[in-house]
């Protein structure tokens, strides 16, 4: 077993660190280098051109075309591997799979977010996702071949040929990002290839992706049963085990699972590391340790505090109300929280999980009212 550090967590290695910031410098360096390469072509072009417009258009067109082609390759190869699109997010447009169909909505807060996720068709846990991660690279090779073909076919003095090549090379920043075999803010295709090389990790990947689909659809979660959870995708299945234990009122097991999540913190993606602290706030509050709940929340990282008080998943809302009403006592946050909660409950169909979370949310609401009758709370519909 891995050694613990002085916080009781497994020690991190270099490969566990988020390399996003160092790699951002690399990506910017690539784009700057491409700009100077493009400048070397411009004097050779026939005819008059607006240099600034030429550079801007080739950059934007290259990024847009590459984004479309790369993701089209992923979608096609995913279908060949037995996977379906479960979630898509681009320019504020969010598509979530519900009742077998992608249902779209607009969220201005997600205007800069981009995401595409797949889940195994028919919830088959033995499917292999490798083709899903290779599809974008395969289509990118074709796109590069077209760019180089136009460049050499039309000649270095052709505006069209040179623009085609520089556009696809600007756009190559997208597969370049996906080729990096390091942990970043989100698991890219190469990192996923590495993290799903073993059979159990592929099963864990499928559980996570199926449960992400079920989160949007309101369905009950699959529960993992691994002997150990010390890998990138296996540790991501532990929150579902915890929730299953919580819903079954197996609190001792739930506390043990939370401890395991905290110990394996190094394997958890950055955008999910708040989970253990969030649920510990809830358990302390549930057992009447109000000071303990307050202390845990105030001692977590600022990024995690923000994630806890601005819920995204259904299970986040019962903790967010504790933070906004009992700890922060913020009327504006409470109004926004209840507004979002009502919207979410309208979107989600009824299921045992949804009904259980509704009951837990109502229980927290009533406990807050009981402890502080004067505390402002929006009406619970």
């Amino acid at each position: 077993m891995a050694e613990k550090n002085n916080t009781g967590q497994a020690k991190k290695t270099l490969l566990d660190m988020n390399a996003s910031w160092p790699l951002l410098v690399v990506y910017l360096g690539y784009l700057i280098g491409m700009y100077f390469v493009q400048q070397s072509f411009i004097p050779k072009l026939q005819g008059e051109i607006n240099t600034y417009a030429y550079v801007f258009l080739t950059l934007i067109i290259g990024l847009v075309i590459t984004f479309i082609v790369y993701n089209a390759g992923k979608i096609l190869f995913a279908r060949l591997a037995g996977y379906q699109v479960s979630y898509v997010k681009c320019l504020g447009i969010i598509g979530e799979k519900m009742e077998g169909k992608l249902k779209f909505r607009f969220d201005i807060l997600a205007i800069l977010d981009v995401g595409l996720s797949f889940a195994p068709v028919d919830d088959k846990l033995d499917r292999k996702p490798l083709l899903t991660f290779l599809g974008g690279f395969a289509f990118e090779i074709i796109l590069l071949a077209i760019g180089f073909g136009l460049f050499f076919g039309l000649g270095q003095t052709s505006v069209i040929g040179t623009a085609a090549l520089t556009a696809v090379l600007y756009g190559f920043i997208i597969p370049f990002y996906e080729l990096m075999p390091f942990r970043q803010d989100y698991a890219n295709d190469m990192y996923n290839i590495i993290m799903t090389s073993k059979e159990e990790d592929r099963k864990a990947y499928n559980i996570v992706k199926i449960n992400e689909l079920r989160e949007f659809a309101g369905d009950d979660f699959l529960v993992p049963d691994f002997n150990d959870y010390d890998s990138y995708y296996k540790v991501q299945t532990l929150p579902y085990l915890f929730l299953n234990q919580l819903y079954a009122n197996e609190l001792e097991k739930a506390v043990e699972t939370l401890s395991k999540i905290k110990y394996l913190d190094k394997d958890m993606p950055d955008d999910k590391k708040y989970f253990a602290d969030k649920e510990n706030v809830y358990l302390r509050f549930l057992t009447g340790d109000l000071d303990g709940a307050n202390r845990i929340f105030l001692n977590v990282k600022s990024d995690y505090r923000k994630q806890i008080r601005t819920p995204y998943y259904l299970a986040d809302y019962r903790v967010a109300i504790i933070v906004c009403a009992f700890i922060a006592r913020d009327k504006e946050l409470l109004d926004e929280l209840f507004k979002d909660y009502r919207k979410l409950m309208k979107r989600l169909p009824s299921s045992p999980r949804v009904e259980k979370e509704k009951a837990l949310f109502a229980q927290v609401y009533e406990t807050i009212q009981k402890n502080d009758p004067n505390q402002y709370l929006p009406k619970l519909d």
Side-chain angles (χ1 to χ4, degrees):
M1 182 176 285
E3 293 182 46
K4 290 185 179 182
N5 58 25
N6 57 12
T7 65
Q9 297 169 325
K11 284 187 176 180
K12 291 183 179 181
T13 66
L14 183 61
L15 293 178
D16 296 316
M17 304 298 181
N18 189 324
S20 292
W21 283 108
L23 288 175
L24 179 61
V25 176
V26 175
Y27 302 142
L28 288 175
Y30 173 83
L31 290 175
I32 292 170
M34 266 304 306
Y35 170 78
F36 286 108
V37 169
Q38 187 179 34
Q39 294 301 305
S40 69
F41 287 135
I42 290 176
K44 303 174 186 178
L45 298 179
Q46 293 177 341
E48 297 261 342
I49 64 168
N50 184 314
T51 302
Y52 295 109
Y54 179 74
V55 171
F56 178 76
L57 287 174
T58 52
L59 171 63
I60 297 302
I61 292 173
L63 290 174
V64 170
I65 290 178
T66 304
F67 176 82
I68 293 171
V69 169
Y70 190 89
N71 285 287
K74 291 188 69 170
I75 292 170
L76 176 60
F77 275 56
R79 290 179 66 86
L80 294 176
Y83 287 78
Q84 60 183 324
V85 174
S86 61
Y87 179 80
V88 62
K89 179 165 57 176
C90 184
L91 299 177
I93 300 172
I94 299 175
E96 300 162 336
K97 196 137 196 181
M98 296 182 181
E99 300 173 349
K101 296 180 180 179
L102 276 175
K103 295 187 177 180
F104 292 90
R105 60 188 176 88
F106 181 78
D107 185 350
I108 188 64
L109 297 178
I111 195 71
L112 297 178
D113 293 343
V114 176
L116 180 65
S117 188
F118 302 91
V121 175
D122 299 327
D123 294 350
K124 291 187 177 179
L125 296 180
D126 59 349
R127 293 197 185 278
K128 298 178 180 180
L130 179 60
L131 281 179
T132 302
F133 311 136
L134 295 177
F137 297 133
F139 271 44
E140 177 62 20
I141 291 172
I142 296 172
L143 187 60
L144 285 171
I146 292 172
F148 277 101
L150 288 173
F151 176 73
F152 288 109
L154 299 176
Q156 295 185 26
T157 59
S158 166
V159 174
I160 295 177
T162 305
L165 178 60
T166 52
V168 297
L169 290 179
Y170 272 127
F172 186 75
I173 192 68
I174 294 173
F176 185 33
Y177 167 88
E178 298 288 352
L179 277 166
M180 290 292 103
F182 303 105
R183 173 176 291 204
Q184 301 180 69
D185 288 338
Y186 302 98
N188 65 4
D189 287 336
M190 183 56 69
Y191 192 74
N192 273 325
I193 290 173
I194 297 170
M195 292 297 105
T196 58
S197 59
K198 297 179 180 178
E199 183 177 350
E200 275 203 341
D201 291 321
R202 289 194 292 272
K203 180 180 178 181
Y205 170 87
N206 288 331
I207 290 174
V208 169
K209 295 305 175 182
I210 289 169
N211 283 343
E212 287 178 352
L213 174 59
R214 292 185 174 198
E215 174 72 49
F216 306 135
D219 299 331
D220 294 339
F221 293 134
L222 295 181
V223 180
D225 60 350
F226 301 111
N227 292 324
D228 66 80
Y229 291 85
D230 54 347
S231 69
Y232 184 77
Y233 278 110
K234 283 197 282 186
V235 74
Q236 290 184 61
T237 67
L238 279 173
Y240 304 115
L241 177 60
F242 166 84
L243 290 173
N244 184 67
Q245 293 164 341
L246 179 66
Y247 299 156
N249 203 31
E250 298 173 344
L251 296 186
E252 288 187 9
K253 290 182 180 179
V255 170
E256 182 181 342
T257 300
L258 274 190
S259 297
K260 194 176 295 184
I261 294 173
K262 198 68 178 175
Y263 172 72
L264 296 171
D265 180 76
K266 70 179 184 64
D267 290 318
M268 189 69 80
D270 287 357
D271 63 338
K272 296 182 179 179
K273 285 185 177 180
Y274 74 101
F275 183 89
D277 292 319
K278 176 200 71 165
E279 293 296 346
N280 270 318
V281 168
Y282 171 75
L283 290 177
R284 291 298 182 100
F285 186 84
L286 183 69
T287 55
D289 184 5
L290 307 185
D291 290 337
N294 184 68
R295 187 168 55 252
I296 290 173
F297 177 74
L298 294 178
N299 285 336
V300 300
K301 294 180 180 179
S302 59
D303 287 347
Y304 301 167
R305 288 202 299 269
K306 182 179 179 182
Q307 287 177 296
I308 293 171
R309 68 174 180 263
T310 53
Y312 180 72
Y313 299 108
L314 175 59
D316 294 345
Y317 281 86
R318 57 182 155 78
V319 187
I321 189 179
I322 295 172
V323 172
C324 296
F326 174 72
I327 299 176
R329 299 181 182 273
D330 191 313
K331 180 179 181 297
E332 186 177 340
L333 275 178
L334 277 169
D335 287 334
E336 192 65 30
L337 170 67
F338 274 74
K339 179 182 176 182
D340 291 343
Y341 181 70
R342 293 185 187 104
K343 285 182 180 178
L344 179 62
M345 297 312 298
K346 286 181 180 179
R347 291 205 315 269
L348 294 177
S350 178
S351 71
R353 175 173 68 90
V354 172
E355 294 306 313
K356 187 64 178 180
E357 282 293 347
K358 283 174 65 176
L360 294 178
F361 185 88
Q363 181 186 28
V364 170
Y365 184 96
E366 293 167 4
T367 303
I368 293 171
Q369 282 189 321
K370 181 179 178 182
N371 280 280
D372 188 354
N374 296 321
Q375 168 61 43
Y376 169 76
L377 283 173
K379 185 178 179 181
L380 181 62
D381 294 336

Short mmCIF file of all heavy atoms in Angstrom, two decimals, residues 178-213:
data_model
loop_
_atom_site.label_atom_id
_atom_site.label_comp_id
_atom_site.label_asym_id
_atom_site.label_seq_id
_atom_site.Cartn_x
_atom_site.Cartn_y
_atom_site.Cartn_z
N GLU A 178 -4.61 16.62 -26.75
CA GLU A 178 -5.08 15.26 -26.48
C GLU A 178 -3.95 14.24 -26.47
O GLU A 178 -4.11 13.15 -25.91
CB GLU A 178 -6.13 14.87 -27.53
CG GLU A 178 -7.38 15.74 -27.54
CD GLU A 178 -8.29 15.49 -26.34
OE1 GLU A 178 -8.02 14.55 -25.57
OE2 GLU A 178 -9.26 16.25 -26.18
N LEU A 179 -2.83 14.56 -27.10
CA LEU A 179 -1.69 13.64 -27.16
C LEU A 179 -0.83 13.64 -25.90
O LEU A 179 -0.03 12.73 -25.69
CB LEU A 179 -0.80 13.97 -28.36
CG LEU A 179 -1.23 13.42 -29.72
CD1 LEU A 179 -0.46 14.11 -30.85
CD2 LEU A 179 -1.01 11.91 -29.77
N MET A 180 -0.97 14.65 -25.06
CA MET A 180 -0.11 14.77 -23.89
C MET A 180 -0.42 13.67 -22.87
O MET A 180 -1.56 13.57 -22.40
CB MET A 180 -0.29 16.14 -23.24
CG MET A 180 0.27 17.31 -24.04
SD MET A 180 2.08 17.29 -24.16
CE MET A 180 2.31 16.67 -25.83
N PRO A 181 0.58 12.83 -22.51
CA PRO A 181 0.32 11.71 -21.59
C PRO A 181 0.44 12.12 -20.12
O PRO A 181 1.05 11.40 -19.31
CB PRO A 181 1.43 10.73 -21.98
CG PRO A 181 2.57 11.61 -22.37
CD PRO A 181 1.95 12.82 -23.04
N PHE A 182 -0.11 13.27 -19.77
CA PHE A 182 -0.02 13.78 -18.40
C PHE A 182 -1.41 14.11 -17.89
O PHE A 182 -2.34 14.38 -18.66
CB PHE A 182 0.84 15.05 -18.35
CG PHE A 182 2.23 14.86 -18.88
CD1 PHE A 182 2.58 15.37 -20.13
CD2 PHE A 182 3.18 14.18 -18.14
CE1 PHE A 182 3.86 15.20 -20.63
CE2 PHE A 182 4.47 14.00 -18.63
CZ PHE A 182 4.81 14.52 -19.88
N ARG A 183 -1.54 14.13 -16.57
CA ARG A 183 -2.79 14.54 -15.96
C ARG A 183 -2.98 16.04 -16.17
O ARG A 183 -2.07 16.84 -15.93
CB ARG A 183 -2.78 14.23 -14.46
CG ARG A 183 -4.00 14.79 -13.74
CD ARG A 183 -4.04 14.41 -12.29
NE ARG A 183 -4.29 12.98 -12.14
CZ ARG A 183 -4.83 12.42 -11.06
NH1 ARG A 183 -5.15 13.18 -10.03
NH2 ARG A 183 -5.03 11.14 -10.99
N GLN A 184 -4.17 16.42 -16.64
CA GLN A 184 -4.52 17.82 -16.81
C GLN A 184 -5.87 18.06 -16.15
O GLN A 184 -6.37 17.19 -15.42
CB GLN A 184 -4.54 18.18 -18.31
CG GLN A 184 -3.18 17.94 -18.99
CD GLN A 184 -3.18 18.28 -20.46
OE1 GLN A 184 -3.27 19.43 -20.84
NE2 GLN A 184 -3.07 17.27 -21.31
N ASP A 185 -6.45 19.24 -16.35
CA ASP A 185 -7.74 19.52 -15.69
C ASP A 185 -8.78 18.45 -16.01
O ASP A 185 -9.60 18.09 -15.18
CB ASP A 185 -8.25 20.90 -16.13
CG ASP A 185 -7.44 22.03 -15.50
OD1 ASP A 185 -6.80 21.79 -14.45
OD2 ASP A 185 -7.44 23.14 -16.05
N TYR A 186 -8.76 17.97 -17.26
CA TYR A 186 -9.67 16.91 -17.67
C TYR A 186 -8.85 15.80 -18.32
O TYR A 186 -7.79 16.05 -18.90
CB TYR A 186 -10.71 17.45 -18.66
CG TYR A 186 -11.53 18.58 -18.09
CD1 TYR A 186 -11.21 19.91 -18.38
CD2 TYR A 186 -12.60 18.33 -17.24
CE1 TYR A 186 -11.95 20.95 -17.85
CE2 TYR A 186 -13.35 19.37 -16.70
CZ TYR A 186 -13.01 20.67 -17.00
OH TYR A 186 -13.73 21.70 -16.47
N ALA A 187 -9.35 14.58 -18.19
CA ALA A 187 -8.63 13.44 -18.77
C ALA A 187 -8.70 13.50 -20.28
O ALA A 187 -9.78 13.36 -20.86
CB ALA A 187 -9.24 12.14 -18.25
N ASN A 188 -7.55 13.72 -20.94
CA ASN A 188 -7.55 13.76 -22.40
C ASN A 188 -7.47 12.35 -22.95
O ASN A 188 -7.43 11.36 -22.21
CB ASN A 188 -6.41 14.66 -22.91
CG ASN A 188 -5.04 14.09 -22.56
OD1 ASN A 188 -4.91 13.01 -22.00
ND2 ASN A 188 -4.00 14.84 -22.87
N ASP A 189 -7.43 12.24 -24.27
CA ASP A 189 -7.51 10.91 -24.88
C ASP A 189 -6.29 10.04 -24.56
O ASP A 189 -6.44 8.85 -24.28
CB ASP A 189 -7.68 11.05 -26.40
CG ASP A 189 -9.09 11.51 -26.77
OD1 ASP A 189 -10.01 11.29 -25.97
OD2 ASP A 189 -9.25 12.11 -27.85
N MET A 190 -5.09 10.62 -24.61
CA MET A 190 -3.91 9.81 -24.32
C MET A 190 -3.89 9.37 -22.87
O MET A 190 -3.54 8.22 -22.55
CB MET A 190 -2.64 10.60 -24.66
CG MET A 190 -1.35 9.80 -24.46
SD MET A 190 -1.32 8.24 -25.40
CE MET A 190 -1.23 8.87 -27.08
N TYR A 191 -4.27 10.25 -21.96
CA TYR A 191 -4.31 9.89 -20.54
C TYR A 191 -5.34 8.79 -20.31
O TYR A 191 -5.13 7.86 -19.52
CB TYR A 191 -4.64 11.12 -19.70
CG TYR A 191 -4.43 10.93 -18.22
CD1 TYR A 191 -3.15 10.88 -17.68
CD2 TYR A 191 -5.50 10.80 -17.35
CE1 TYR A 191 -2.95 10.70 -16.32
CE2 TYR A 191 -5.31 10.62 -15.99
CZ TYR A 191 -4.04 10.58 -15.49
OH TYR A 191 -3.85 10.39 -14.13
N ASN A 192 -6.47 8.87 -21.02
CA ASN A 192 -7.48 7.82 -20.90
C ASN A 192 -6.98 6.48 -21.44
O ASN A 192 -7.32 5.43 -20.89
CB ASN A 192 -8.75 8.23 -21.65
CG ASN A 192 -9.69 9.06 -20.79
OD1 ASN A 192 -9.79 8.85 -19.59
ND2 ASN A 192 -10.38 10.01 -21.41
N ILE A 193 -6.21 6.52 -22.50
CA ILE A 193 -5.63 5.28 -23.03
C ILE A 193 -4.76 4.62 -21.97
O ILE A 193 -4.82 3.40 -21.74
CB ILE A 193 -4.81 5.56 -24.31
CG1 ILE A 193 -5.74 5.93 -25.46
CG2 ILE A 193 -3.96 4.35 -24.69
CD1 ILE A 193 -5.03 6.41 -26.71
N ILE A 194 -3.95 5.43 -21.29
CA ILE A 194 -3.06 4.91 -20.24
C ILE A 194 -3.87 4.41 -19.05
O ILE A 194 -3.61 3.33 -18.51
CB ILE A 194 -2.07 6.00 -19.80
CG1 ILE A 194 -1.16 6.40 -20.96
CG2 ILE A 194 -1.23 5.53 -18.61
CD1 ILE A 194 -0.33 7.63 -20.68
N MET A 195 -4.89 5.18 -18.64
CA MET A 195 -5.65 4.86 -17.44
C MET A 195 -6.63 3.71 -17.61
O MET A 195 -7.18 3.21 -16.63
CB MET A 195 -6.40 6.11 -16.95
CG MET A 195 -5.53 7.21 -16.42
SD MET A 195 -4.59 6.74 -14.93
CE MET A 195 -2.94 6.55 -15.63
N THR A 196 -6.89 3.28 -18.84
CA THR A 196 -7.82 2.16 -19.06
C THR A 196 -7.11 0.97 -19.72
O THR A 196 -7.74 0.17 -20.40
CB THR A 196 -9.01 2.60 -19.94
OG1 THR A 196 -8.52 3.11 -21.20
CG2 THR A 196 -9.82 3.69 -19.26
N SER A 197 -5.82 0.86 -19.49
CA SER A 197 -5.05 -0.23 -20.10
C SER A 197 -5.32 -1.58 -19.43
O SER A 197 -5.09 -2.63 -20.02
CB SER A 197 -3.55 0.09 -20.06
OG SER A 197 -3.12 0.26 -18.72
N LYS A 198 -5.83 -1.56 -18.19
CA LYS A 198 -6.11 -2.80 -17.46
C LYS A 198 -7.62 -3.07 -17.46
O LYS A 198 -8.43 -2.14 -17.50
CB LYS A 198 -5.60 -2.70 -16.03
CG LYS A 198 -4.08 -2.55 -15.93
CD LYS A 198 -3.63 -2.42 -14.48
CE LYS A 198 -2.12 -2.26 -14.39
NZ LYS A 198 -1.67 -2.08 -12.98
N GLU A 199 -7.96 -4.35 -17.35
CA GLU A 199 -9.36 -4.75 -17.45
C GLU A 199 -10.23 -4.11 -16.37
O GLU A 199 -11.32 -3.61 -16.64
CB GLU A 199 -9.47 -6.27 -17.37
CG GLU A 199 -10.90 -6.78 -17.55
CD GLU A 199 -10.99 -8.31 -17.53
OE1 GLU A 199 -9.93 -8.96 -17.57
OE2 GLU A 199 -12.12 -8.81 -17.45
N GLU A 200 -9.76 -4.13 -15.11
CA GLU A 200 -10.56 -3.55 -14.02
C GLU A 200 -10.73 -2.05 -14.20
O GLU A 200 -11.78 -1.50 -13.85
CB GLU A 200 -9.91 -3.85 -12.66
CG GLU A 200 -10.29 -5.21 -12.10
CD GLU A 200 -10.14 -5.27 -10.59
OE1 GLU A 200 -9.42 -4.42 -10.02
OE2 GLU A 200 -10.73 -6.17 -9.98
N ASP A 201 -9.71 -1.38 -14.73
CA ASP A 201 -9.81 0.06 -14.95
C ASP A 201 -10.79 0.38 -16.07
O ASP A 201 -11.48 1.40 -16.03
CB ASP A 201 -8.43 0.66 -15.25
CG ASP A 201 -7.53 0.63 -14.03
OD1 ASP A 201 -8.03 0.90 -12.92
OD2 ASP A 201 -6.33 0.35 -14.18
N ARG A 202 -10.86 -0.50 -17.08
CA ARG A 202 -11.86 -0.31 -18.14
C ARG A 202 -13.27 -0.48 -17.57
O ARG A 202 -14.19 0.28 -17.91
CB ARG A 202 -11.62 -1.29 -19.29
CG ARG A 202 -10.38 -0.99 -20.12
CD ARG A 202 -10.38 -1.78 -21.41
NE ARG A 202 -10.22 -3.20 -21.19
CZ ARG A 202 -9.03 -3.82 -21.12
NH1 ARG A 202 -7.91 -3.12 -21.21
NH2 ARG A 202 -8.96 -5.13 -20.92
N LYS A 203 -13.44 -1.46 -16.69
CA LYS A 203 -14.74 -1.65 -16.06
C LYS A 203 -15.10 -0.44 -15.21
O LYS A 203 -16.24 0.04 -15.24
CB LYS A 203 -14.71 -2.92 -15.18
CG LYS A 203 -16.03 -3.19 -14.48
CD LYS A 203 -15.96 -4.45 -13.62
CE LYS A 203 -17.27 -4.68 -12.87
NZ LYS A 203 -17.21 -5.89 -12.00
N ALA A 204 -14.12 0.08 -14.48
CA ALA A 204 -14.36 1.27 -13.65
C ALA A 204 -14.73 2.46 -14.53
O ALA A 204 -15.63 3.23 -14.19
CB ALA A 204 -13.13 1.58 -12.81
N TYR A 205 -14.01 2.62 -15.65
CA TYR A 205 -14.33 3.70 -16.60
C TYR A 205 -15.77 3.60 -17.05
O TYR A 205 -16.50 4.60 -17.08
CB TYR A 205 -13.38 3.62 -17.79
CG TYR A 205 -13.75 4.53 -18.94
CD1 TYR A 205 -13.30 5.85 -18.98
CD2 TYR A 205 -14.54 4.08 -19.99
CE1 TYR A 205 -13.64 6.70 -20.04
CE2 TYR A 205 -14.89 4.91 -21.05
CZ TYR A 205 -14.43 6.22 -21.07
OH TYR A 205 -14.77 7.05 -22.11
N ASN A 206 -16.20 2.38 -17.39
CA ASN A 206 -17.57 2.18 -17.86
C ASN A 206 -18.59 2.47 -16.77
O ASN A 206 -19.65 3.05 -17.04
CB ASN A 206 -17.73 0.76 -18.39
CG ASN A 206 -17.02 0.54 -19.72
OD1 ASN A 206 -16.86 1.47 -20.50
ND2 ASN A 206 -16.58 -0.68 -19.97
N ILE A 207 -18.29 2.09 -15.53
CA ILE A 207 -19.20 2.39 -14.42
C ILE A 207 -19.35 3.90 -14.26
O ILE A 207 -20.46 4.42 -14.10
CB ILE A 207 -18.69 1.76 -13.11
CG1 ILE A 207 -18.82 0.24 -13.16
CG2 ILE A 207 -19.45 2.31 -11.90
CD1 ILE A 207 -18.22 -0.48 -11.97
N VAL A 208 -18.22 4.60 -14.30
CA VAL A 208 -18.25 6.06 -14.14
C VAL A 208 -19.08 6.70 -15.25
O VAL A 208 -19.93 7.57 -15.00
CB VAL A 208 -16.82 6.64 -14.13
CG1 VAL A 208 -16.84 8.16 -14.25
CG2 VAL A 208 -16.08 6.22 -12.87
N LYS A 209 -18.85 6.27 -16.50
CA LYS A 209 -19.55 6.88 -17.63
C LYS A 209 -21.05 6.53 -17.64
O LYS A 209 -21.88 7.37 -18.00
CB LYS A 209 -18.90 6.46 -18.95
CG LYS A 209 -17.47 6.97 -19.10
CD LYS A 209 -17.41 8.47 -18.94
CE LYS A 209 -16.02 9.03 -18.96
NZ LYS A 209 -15.98 10.50 -18.76
N ILE A 210 -21.37 5.31 -17.25
CA ILE A 210 -22.78 4.94 -17.15
C ILE A 210 -23.47 5.75 -16.06
O ILE A 210 -24.59 6.25 -16.24
CB ILE A 210 -22.92 3.42 -16.86
CG1 ILE A 210 -22.51 2.62 -18.11
CG2 ILE A 210 -24.35 3.08 -16.45
CD1 ILE A 210 -22.37 1.14 -17.86
N ASN A 211 -22.78 5.92 -14.94
CA ASN A 211 -23.38 6.67 -13.83
C ASN A 211 -23.48 8.16 -14.14
O ASN A 211 -24.39 8.83 -13.66
CB ASN A 211 -22.59 6.44 -12.55
CG ASN A 211 -22.89 5.08 -11.92
OD1 ASN A 211 -23.90 4.45 -12.25
ND2 ASN A 211 -22.04 4.63 -11.03
N GLU A 212 -22.54 8.69 -14.92
CA GLU A 212 -22.67 10.08 -15.36
C GLU A 212 -23.92 10.23 -16.22
O GLU A 212 -24.64 11.24 -16.13
CB GLU A 212 -21.43 10.51 -16.13
CG GLU A 212 -20.21 10.72 -15.25
CD GLU A 212 -18.97 11.09 -16.03
OE1 GLU A 212 -19.00 11.03 -17.28
OE2 GLU A 212 -17.96 11.43 -15.40
N LEU A 213 -24.18 9.25 -17.08
CA LEU A 213 -25.39 9.26 -17.89
C LEU A 213 -26.63 9.15 -17.00
O LEU A 213 -27.63 9.85 -17.19
CB LEU A 213 -25.34 8.10 -18.89
CG LEU A 213 -26.59 7.86 -19.75
CD1 LEU A 213 -26.93 9.08 -20.57
CD2 LEU A 213 -26.36 6.65 -20.65
#
